[in-house]
Amino acid sequence: MKKSIGHAPNRDAPDTAEGRRSFLKQGAALVTGAASAGLAQGVNAQALAGQPWERVYGAGFTGYGQPSRFEQPIARHVGRPYGDLAPGSGAALAPIESLEGIITPSGLHNIRSHSGTPDIDPTQHRLLLHGLVARPLVFSMEALRRYPMTTRTHFVECSGNSSRALAPQPAQVPAGAMHGNIACSEWTGVPLHMLLEEAGLLPQAKWLLAEGADSAHMSRSIPVEKVLDDALVALYQNGERLRPEQGYPVRLLLPGWEGNMSVKWLRRLKATEGPTHTKDETSKYTDPLSDGRSLQFTFEMGVKSVITKPSSTMVLPRAGFYEISGIAWSGAGRIRRVEVSTDGGASWAEAALIGEERPKSLVRFRLPWEWTGRAAVLQSRATDEKGRVQPARKVWLAQFAPDMRYHNNSIVSWAVGADGNVKNVYV
Ligand SMILES: Nc1nc2c(c(=O)[nH]1)N[C@H]1C(S)=C(S)[C@@H](COP(=O)(O)O)O[C@H]1N2
Ligand SMILES: [Mo]
């Protein structure tokens, strides 16, 4: 018989607020009451005694705040494949296992850079718009900041995210060290179509070349339809100016598309008839298939999810109540459903979603879970509004050549041992 956590997947319940409430009640009922879960302690005299910091005057104000010193070990997982030769080439992954909600704090946003973070003086930096336009234009940063802006929440995911989960043996590292080449911010900037209208895009212009001002001169070709749809010239991230690592003073943001195309430190946009076939879209960012052919221009990121709590390298101290929590996203639009399994995919239950109204954004999913103390395999499976379902690992692997390193959106499995140790496993 199939073991079910909670109830059978109920596809109708979460579609209305009322349905969602009763659904959550069903979920909470699983937990046999918070008291019996034993998470809080009974009150005794010691609890009322007070702590030393209650009796001394607190610290003074600071100009720019930092996390509590007790939280400072939480940091990006820095990967430097070339060591000291090129300390800014590679990636620093977001510690998704330590984060909650939807927004990645700017200081923990993943960084993927090919030749370090340039030290750009915004008064000297310019954005050039030329090629197949009626009026070539140059924008100073001051001018750009005076255009009408828009604000949207979107993820940026490197297409190489989760490539470490393609290693022959499952790595026993925190979730973020494998799946943290993603972050989600509130971005504010100028819709790119507005700048193109001012320059007067010519009818024969079908692509835009975007080029960065770093020494790698990251260059990608972008179809004009995407530019007219939702491309943003981003100036602000989570309320403040972009961080240098994220492309200060200006980056391109192509919501839902592979992170590589969101060119940071944007210096040039050139309208062209066809794709430019730059080094970054020929030698890299093409996808080798199992039949020997390759896919080029696989822009959209797939539907995907990862359980962040509990996850690889964590330890569950004792049997009892745990909330399974994680992130889900899709480059195609909104997340419609996330299902969670605790028995390696034999049965699934639908998780509650937070933020599912936002397209191309991280969504938080949560499901209450009573761990009996027996071995369990935790998985999550996301479905987006286009009906695309996150594939099983074996199904994903079968499509591609062994050296494929991009767009791994397959289901992630965490095994909980009877001793409470959580391990990365391939199922
Ligand atoms: N100019 C420039 N833009 C760039 C890159 C770069 O190295 N140089 N890296 C790209 C890659 S591969 C990714 S995944 C995203 C990462 O954006 P982030 O560092 O803000 O997460 O930026 C893209 N834009
Ligand atoms: Mo990337």
Side-chain angles (χ1 to χ4, degrees):
M1 208 186 80
K2 281 184 182 176
K3 192 186 127 225
S4 160
I5 49 169
H7 49 88
N10 180 345
R11 283 179 187 158
D12 301 320
D15 285 336
T16 63
E18 185 50 44
R20 197 174 293 119
R21 267 195 298 277
S22 69
F23 168 81
L24 288 174
K25 254 187 240 152
Q26 287 175 51
L30 275 179
V31 181
T32 51
S36 66
L39 297 178
Q41 290 169 358
V43 175
N44 57 26
Q46 210 191 342
L48 297 170
Q51 297 285 359
W53 50 80
E54 298 177 34
R55 288 181 216 102
V56 293
Y57 186 74
F61 305 128
T62 55
Y64 198 104
Q66 293 296 319
S68 158
R69 65 189 172 95
F70 299 102
E71 298 297 324
Q72 308 234 339
I74 295 175
R76 287 186 273 238
H77 302 283
V78 178
R80 301 195 316 160
Y82 314 102
D84 289 339
L85 276 177
S89 301
L93 277 55
I96 53 173
E97 67 282 355
S98 303
L99 304 177
E100 254 301 339
I102 293 163
I103 298 292
T104 314
S106 300
L108 295 173
H109 193 288
N110 71 317
I111 312 166
R112 169 72 182 105
S113 295
H114 291 235
S115 59
T117 302
D119 184 27
I120 297 183
D121 176 348
T123 64
Q124 300 304 308
H125 186 74
R126 297 288 181 272
L127 171 59
L128 170 65
L129 176 47
H130 70 141
L132 297 172
V133 293
R135 293 168 295 278
L137 298 171
V138 176
F139 301 89
S140 69
M141 297 306 101
E142 197 199 345
L144 262 189
R145 285 171 70 188
R146 292 183 55 192
Y147 279 78
M149 297 199 196
T150 185
T151 298
R152 292 197 246 114
T153 302
H154 290 302
F155 71 81
V156 174
E157 184 184 20
C158 179
S159 53
N161 191 22
S162 309
S163 58
R164 199 167 173 186
L166 299 170
Q169 295 304 318
Q172 300 310 323
V173 295
M178 269 174 293
H179 305 289
N181 218 337
I182 180 159
C184 186
S185 295
E186 182 204 82
W187 304 96
T188 296
V190 184
L192 179 49
H193 70 79
M194 204 179 276
L195 305 182
L196 289 183
E197 277 154 28
E198 186 170 337
L201 194 65
L202 298 178
Q204 64 270 37
K206 297 286 180 263
W207 291 71
L208 272 195
L209 171 72
E211 180 189 73
D214 51 340
S215 57
H217 284 104
M218 173 64 63
S219 306
R220 289 294 307 254
S221 305
I222 299 143
V224 154
E225 303 86 72
K226 176 66 174 175
V227 171
L228 299 180
D229 177 17
D230 61 357
L232 201 63
V233 175
L235 298 161
Y236 293 83
Q237 171 188 2
N238 299 328
E240 61 184 357
R241 295 299 303 275
L242 297 178
R243 291 292 170 96
E245 297 86 351
Q246 263 66 65
Y248 181 85
V250 58
R251 86 177 295 169
L252 185 61
L253 194 80
L254 299 180
W257 283 21
E258 57 184 10
N260 185 257
M261 307 181 72
S262 286
V263 173
K264 303 191 279 190
W265 314 295
L266 186 66
R267 71 176 293 270
R268 188 161 75 99
L269 292 163
K270 183 183 182 188
T272 57
E273 262 175 73
T276 302
H277 296 289
T278 70
K279 67 185 189 326
D280 300 302
E281 56 201 13
T282 50
S283 73
K284 285 172 278 177
Y285 302 102
T286 57
D287 309 340
L289 298 173
S290 50
D291 65 5
R293 295 177 303 154
S294 286
L295 295 176
Q296 197 186 13
F297 300 142
T298 49
F299 301 140
E300 196 175 279
M301 295 308 290
V303 59
K304 188 166 169 182
S305 66
V306 185
I307 295 172
T308 52
K309 272 192 301 201
S311 59
S312 177
T313 72
M314 289 181 181
V315 184
L316 307 189
R318 64 191 73 84
F321 171 71
Y322 290 89
E323 184 179 68
I324 295 173
S325 166
I327 47 175
W329 64 96
S330 168
R334 293 175 184 84
I335 287 292
R336 185 195 291 160
R337 172 162 61 244
V338 179
E339 296 156 293
V340 172
S341 175
T342 61
D343 53 14
S347 65
W348 298 89
E350 194 159 326
L353 302 183
I354 312 291
E356 75 267 39
E357 70 282 1
R358 295 190 175 105
K360 306 170 191 177
S361 161
L362 286 192
V363 162
R364 175 63 53 177
F365 65 88
R366 295 198 176 96
L367 188 83
W369 177 46
E370 180 92 46
W371 182 46
T372 59
R374 282 195 290 273
V377 174
L378 311 184
Q379 298 179 318
S380 62
R381 179 172 70 187
T383 302
D384 69 19
E385 64 180 340
K386 300 265 164 68
R388 281 177 215 155
V389 183
Q390 190 177 359
R393 192 167 190 279
K394 287 190 183 110
V395 172
W396 187 92
L397 284 171
Q399 296 169 53
F400 297 104
D403 58 341
M404 170 64 165
R405 285 291 169 273
Y406 303 121
H407 294 276
N408 175 14
N409 66 329
S410 62
I411 289 176
V412 176
S413 304
W414 307 128
V416 182
D419 58 1
N421 281 293
V422 186
K423 292 211 153 70
N424 178 24
V425 289
Y426 292 160
V427 169

